[in-house]
Amino acid sequence: MLNLSMYTLGSRRSCIRELFEYGRMRREIVGDDHVFDFSLGNPSIPAPKEVHCAIRELLDTQSSLYLHGYTTAAGDLSLRQAIADDLNRRFSAAVRPQDFFIGCGAAPELVSVIRALAVKNAEFLVIAPFFPEYRPFVENCGGQLVVIPPDIPNFQIDLQAVESALTPRTQALILNSPNNPCGTVYTEQTLRALAAILTKKSRLFGHPIYLISDEPYRELVYDGKTVPFLPNIYSDTIVCYSYSKSLSLPGERIGYICVPPQTSEHDGLLAAISGAARSIGHVCAPSMMQKVIQKCVDVRPDLRPYDENRHLLADALRSFGYEMASPDGAFYLFVKAPGGDSEAFSEKAKERDLLIVPGTDFGCREYFRLCYCVDPDMIRRSLPIFKELIEQP
Amino acid sequence: MLNLSMYTLGSRRSCIRELFEYGRMRREIVGDDHVFDFSLGNPSIPAPKEVHCAIRELLDTQSSLYLHGYTTAAGDLSLRQAIADDLNRRFSAAVRPQDFFIGCGAAPELVSVIRALAVKNAEFLVIAPFFPEYRPFVENCGGQLVVIPPDIPNFQIDLQAVESALTPRTQALILNSPNNPCGTVYTEQTLRALAAILTKKSRLFGHPIYLISDEPYRELVYDGKTVPFLPNIYSDTIVCYSYSKSLSLPGERIGYICVPPQTSEHDGLLAAISGAARSIGHVCAPSMMQKVIQKCVDVRPDLRPYDENRHLLADALRSFGYEMASPDGAFYLFVKAPGGDSEAFSEKAKERDLLIVPGTDFGCREYFRLCYCVDPDMIRRSLPIFKELIEQP
């Protein structure tokens, strides 16, 4: 008498979590220095010092009732104003406080947006490789997930495949750039071409096809690259942002949904998002953290440790002969498995206590994912194993 | 092309929220001292000082990565151990850390439990008066809400009505004690009689009927009354707790689900709850607040301000001739509307800038709700209006 799909979702451990638990177990047996765990995307740089300063200042100057009381469901107006100002300054946008809904991180934000758009037989497109949780988010509100195959080896977007996959039932395309798992940033050229297709098909079908931009890694880009602000490229964009990575606060569960003014059905869409959030038990985003974010809205992380790790790992792997997606952002490398089967390769690596995530669940079995938000010493110690694994396949 | 039920849920403002906004508007016109707002159940006593001490201590002694990193989805093991120890000590229970799932407050916890139990045609019973959000929580996962009429004037439970309403499709009964909106605490006698009915019917139907105990007001009881620990009375109880009221942290969104060891389908149920949480985007409860709660697990609020308000308001209203439900807990009075129509009475009160919530949405139109988590001076200033309203009906 239990809901079977909920039971299945809760009892089938994710491959990533299983690898992580395996690593913990192995560390107890063989010691910390002999396990090389690249499985979990947990930020390894601390929150900027401004975050703790802000918390202390709030405790010193504000009342408990203000700090910890309910805010409106959409979040403090002053926080929404601060975020709008920041986006307008950085991207020449024209968003207003009333275009925002402060949420508890990208996951429930995506769920709320997807539920708001989940009409009968709705289809949601995702570009492989993609974050595997998109599947339960879509399927558990009755939607259908349509997967666009990966554009190997460039990991941009197979635009022809997108064009063929769009149907009158397509409600939205979920985009994640910088991408988890492949670390690539979609170029402005790719995005403009995608926008043209979506615009054409929206007109053809007589209803908007929304672009849901899942942006937890927006600020994590290297080599001076930039992540285009999608609402400037495609007007029917809904942004789902999170401070998990940009302020190294993954456990604090805070971010925002932005529905810019020019978005089709703007007011109705925001109402539906707010109703969807209510239906999943959203009351407000954590209140004190709302005040903290307001004070830290333009604080950016020091990405050097990630960038150094990225070079350390990517340069070495390339020198051994590994091929990989261009690692422009986030903290992931997406590497082609020697032999072409990442599951077999991951098993072989596991025998050496090297823990890597096969790309299967991301929709790309040929590649595996490495998280480089780790101790650089662990990277250094792991390199001989990577070398061996490609030399003795 | 929006989901209509989400749109409706998000665009239809709750009566409570509307009254509150009206009050804000009126205060600007007639001044703070001339608006008497009893609409919103927002705690009015600060968090115990131990909460801010705990935050400062954590900032002083712990790393950012530990404080703000992801925890497991079920929450820090050490927090779950601390809560289990506290419950075992207070209620001679025998719960274990693995019986807990740390959630983001009672609302998403209830959603997760309801979704876990939402099989085809599932029915969920609620006892009027009841918290109106139960309806979207149940209906948006395909369940049917079955309302047991209020037991006027005692506001215990009409057990015969419950017995008649139970069917083979009944998956659970949602219970809220101390109750929002009526402030009553169900007696041990009521609960034992209810448990006997549920046990009998569970046997008859060949499957457990769960009791979902929604307990945000557990610690808010007066006159030395106690709230029975339901798992000690009925073995198929699932507890949904929140620290919103007990630590005056309503905006911080933290609480727990407890599925005690003796619960039917214990492991499967916890797996389904965890899957349901995942399907609505739960990643973990706010991480730093998990550490704070662990340090404050047995801290109890100073209820005197609420108790004084309760006496001030209830004694005066009774002396004017108002009848009300026995106000044993929470921070609500549920008062019989002179004339018997709380909507008409609320409108009349509104003309005097006295804001009270009609009982209609709670399933009891004859009564209205007063929140006494307010400034006692406002209560004093409001009394002449209450007096007038009953004398000149």
Side-chain angles (χ1 to χ4, degrees):
Chain A
M1 294 293 284
L2 300 173
N3 181 306
L4 191 64
S5 57
M6 295 302 126
Y7 172 76
T8 308
L9 198 57
S11 52
R12 210 195 49 187
R13 268 191 140 154
S14 86
C15 159
I16 297 171
R17 181 62 65 177
E18 212 153 85
L19 271 174
F20 177 75
E21 297 293 344
Y22 177 81
R24 178 180 291 184
M25 185 268 285
R26 285 296 293 167
R27 271 195 294 272
E28 280 175 23
I29 298 172
V30 300
D32 278 358
D33 286 1
H34 301 281
V35 177
F36 314 97
D37 186 353
F38 292 92
S39 66
L40 212 61
N42 213 343
S44 60
I45 57 178
K49 65 179 188 322
E50 287 87 344
V51 168
H52 283 197
C53 289
I55 298 175
R56 287 179 208 276
E57 193 191 322
L58 288 166
L59 293 180
D60 287 344
T61 59
Q62 301 294 332
S63 75
S64 165
L65 295 181
Y66 167 76
L67 281 181
H68 308 298
Y70 291 117
T71 72
T72 63
D76 278 332
L77 186 64
S78 50
L79 169 59
R80 288 181 281 145
Q81 182 70 62
I83 299 171
D85 291 346
D86 181 57
L87 293 181
N88 292 342
R89 193 174 54 236
R90 291 162 67 203
F91 304 116
S92 307
V95 289
R96 309 155 301 173
Q98 64 266 37
D99 302 325
F100 287 83
F101 188 94
I102 308 297
C104 299
E109 287 159 21
L110 285 166
V111 170
S112 299
V113 171
I114 290 167
R115 283 177 80 89
L117 296 173
V119 296
K120 201 168 175 235
N121 298 321
E123 293 171 356
F124 294 84
L125 263 58
V126 296
I127 315 289
F130 65 95
F131 183 51
E133 293 298 290
Y134 294 160
R135 185 177 293 281
F137 294 170
V138 166
E139 292 179 349
N140 281 295
C141 60
Q144 200 195 324
L145 193 83
V146 177
V147 180
I148 306 298
D151 172 36
I152 296 174
N154 294 320
F155 292 98
Q156 291 292 313
I157 298 176
D158 180 343
L159 294 164
Q160 210 156 16
V162 170
E163 183 150 9
S164 317
L166 293 169
T167 79
R169 294 177 301 281
T170 309
Q171 283 282 72
L173 188 154
I174 307 174
L175 213 63
N176 175 221
S177 175
N179 183 271
N180 174 10
C182 73
T184 49
V185 175
Y186 298 130
T187 64
E188 181 148 349
Q189 190 190 358
T190 299
L191 296 172
R192 293 210 176 272
L194 177 69
I197 293 170
L198 293 177
T199 303
K200 186 175 80 176
K201 292 286 186 169
S202 294
R203 279 201 199 119
L204 181 67
F205 301 144
H207 67 81
I209 300 170
Y210 292 100
L211 203 52
I212 303 174
S213 183
D214 176 23
E215 304 197 349
Y217 301 100
R218 156 166 287 288
E219 324 301 347
L220 274 58
V221 274
Y222 311 99
D223 302 330
K225 294 241 165 85
T226 55
V227 181
F229 187 64
L230 271 167
N232 290 349
I233 292 176
Y234 183 65
S235 66
D236 282 329
T237 296
I238 305 164
V239 176
C240 294
Y241 187 87
S242 163
Y243 292 94
S244 291
K245 276 79 184 188
S246 68
L247 286 175
S248 274
L249 298 172
E252 301 301 356
R253 314 311 308 141
I254 187 158
Y256 62 78
I257 300 168
C258 177
V259 179
Q262 70 274 18
T263 314
S264 301
E265 304 188 73
H266 175 272
D267 294 358
L269 182 56
L270 263 170
I273 288 169
S274 145
R278 188 174 156 195
S279 82
I280 58 169
H282 173 91
V283 174
C284 64
S287 51
M288 186 174 72
M289 212 43 78
Q290 289 192 44
K291 281 84 175 152
V292 171
I293 299 291
Q294 190 183 326
K295 287 175 177 285
C296 298
V297 76
D298 55 1
V299 174
R300 298 285 164 255
D302 175 9
L303 294 182
R304 275 171 300 178
Y306 290 154
D307 198 16
E308 285 162 16
N309 282 357
R310 187 176 73 106
H311 275 293
L312 181 61
L313 190 56
D315 295 353
L317 293 192
R318 280 182 177 132
S319 78
F320 303 153
Y322 286 93
E323 292 165 43
M324 67 189 69
S326 178
D328 305 319
F331 37 48
Y332 305 108
L333 295 188
F334 206 49
V335 183
K336 191 170 177 185
D341 177 355
S342 65
E343 302 222 7
F345 188 76
S346 165
E347 276 305 309
K348 226 172 58 173
K350 202 170 156 189
E351 289 167 16
R352 309 293 192 86
D353 289 316
L354 175 67
L355 307 182
I356 64 181
V357 182
T360 319
D361 285 352
F362 301 109
C364 184
R365 188 173 176 143
E366 298 91 323
Y367 282 64
F368 60 88
R369 188 186 79 169
L370 298 176
C371 302
Y372 56 81
C373 43
V374 296
D375 178 357
D377 284 336
M378 188 190 86
I379 296 180
R380 281 184 205 102
R381 288 195 305 272
S382 74
L383 295 179
I385 303 174
F386 279 109
K387 189 156 187 282
E388 255 182 70
L389 284 169
I390 196 170
E391 286 174 351
Q392 306 153 10
Chain B
M1 295 292 284
L2 299 173
N3 181 307
L4 191 64
S5 57
M6 295 302 125
Y7 172 76
T8 308
L9 198 57
S11 52
R12 209 195 49 186
R13 267 191 138 156
S14 87
C15 159
I16 297 171
R17 182 61 64 175
E18 212 152 86
L19 271 174
F20 177 76
E21 297 293 344
Y22 177 82
R24 178 179 292 183
M25 184 268 286
R26 285 296 294 167
R27 271 195 294 270
E28 279 175 21
I29 299 173
V30 300
D32 278 359
D33 286 1
H34 301 281
V35 177
F36 315 98
D37 186 352
F38 292 93
S39 67
L40 211 61
N42 214 343
S44 60
I45 57 178
K49 65 178 188 323
E50 287 88 344
V51 168
H52 283 197
C53 288
I55 298 175
R56 287 179 206 276
E57 193 192 322
L58 288 166
L59 293 180
D60 288 343
T61 60
Q62 300 295 333
S63 74
S64 166
L65 295 180
Y66 166 77
L67 280 181
H68 307 299
Y70 291 119
T71 71
T72 63
D76 277 332
L77 186 64
S78 50
L79 169 59
R80 289 182 280 143
Q81 181 71 61
I83 298 171
D85 291 346
D86 182 57
L87 292 181
N88 292 342
R89 193 174 55 238
R90 291 161 68 202
F91 304 116
S92 306
V95 290
R96 310 156 302 175
Q98 65 266 38
D99 301 326
F100 287 83
F101 188 92
I102 308 298
C104 298
E109 288 159 20
L110 284 165
V111 171
S112 300
V113 172
I114 291 166
R115 283 176 81 91
L117 295 173
V119 296
K120 200 169 176 233
N121 299 319
E123 293 171 357
F124 294 83
L125 263 59
V126 296
I127 314 289
F130 65 95
F131 183 51
E133 294 298 290
Y134 294 161
R135 185 177 294 281
F137 294 170
V138 166
E139 291 178 349
N140 281 295
C141 60
Q144 198 195 327
L145 193 82
V146 177
V147 179
I148 305 299
D151 172 37
I152 295 174
N154 293 320
F155 291 98
Q156 290 291 310
I157 299 176
D158 181 344
L159 294 165
Q160 213 157 14
V162 170
E163 183 151 8
S164 316
L166 294 169
T167 79
R169 294 177 300 281
T170 311
Q171 282 283 70
L173 189 154
I174 307 174
L175 214 63
N176 175 221
S177 175
N179 183 270
N180 175 9
C182 73
T184 50
V185 174
Y186 297 131
T187 64
E188 180 147 352
Q189 192 190 357
T190 298
L191 296 171
R192 290 208 177 273
L194 177 70
I197 293 168
L198 294 177
T199 303
K200 186 175 81 178
K201 292 284 186 171
S202 292
R203 278 200 198 117
L204 181 67
F205 300 144
H207 67 81
I209 300 169
Y210 292 100
L211 204 52
I212 302 174
S213 185
D214 176 23
E215 305 197 349
Y217 301 101
R218 154 165 290 286
E219 325 301 346
L220 274 59
V221 275
Y222 311 99
D223 302 331
K225 294 240 165 86
T226 55
V227 181
F229 186 64
L230 271 168
N232 290 348
I233 291 176
Y234 183 64
S235 65
D236 281 329
T237 296
I238 305 163
V239 176
C240 293
Y241 187 87
S242 161
Y243 292 94
S244 291
K245 277 80 184 186
S246 67
L247 286 175
S248 274
L249 297 172
E252 301 300 355
R253 315 312 307 139
I254 187 158
Y256 61 78
I257 300 168
C258 177
V259 179
Q262 70 273 18
T263 314
S264 301
E265 305 188 70
H266 176 273
D267 294 358
L269 183 55
L270 264 169
I273 289 169
S274 145
R278 189 174 154 194
S279 82
I280 59 170
H282 172 91
V283 174
C284 63
S287 52
M288 186 174 72
M289 213 40 80
Q290 289 193 43
K291 280 82 174 155
V292 171
I293 299 291
Q294 189 184 327
K295 287 176 177 285
C296 299
V297 76
D298 54 2
V299 174
R300 299 285 162 255
D302 175 10
L303 294 183
R304 274 171 303 179
Y306 290 153
D307 198 17
E308 285 162 17
N309 282 358
R310 185 176 73 106
H311 274 294
L312 180 62
L313 190 56
D315 295 353
L317 293 192
R318 281 184 177 129
S319 78
F320 303 154
Y322 285 94
E323 294 166 42
M324 66 189 70
S326 178
D328 304 320
F331 36 48
Y332 305 109
L333 296 188
F334 205 50
V335 183
K336 191 171 177 183
D341 178 355
S342 65
E343 302 223 7
F345 188 77
S346 166
E347 276 305 310
K348 227 171 58 175
K350 201 171 157 188
E351 290 167 15
R352 308 295 192 83
D353 290 317
L354 175 66
L355 308 181
I356 64 182
V357 181
T360 318
D361 284 352
F362 301 110
C364 183
R365 185 170 177 144
E366 299 92 320
Y367 282 64
F368 60 87
R369 187 186 80 169
L370 298 176
C371 302
Y372 55 79
C373 42
V374 296
D375 178 358
D377 282 338
M378 188 191 85
I379 296 180
R380 281 184 204 100
R381 288 194 306 272
S382 74
L383 295 179
I385 304 174
F386 279 109
K387 190 158 186 284
E388 255 180 69
L389 284 169
I390 195 169
E391 286 174 351
Q392 305 154 10

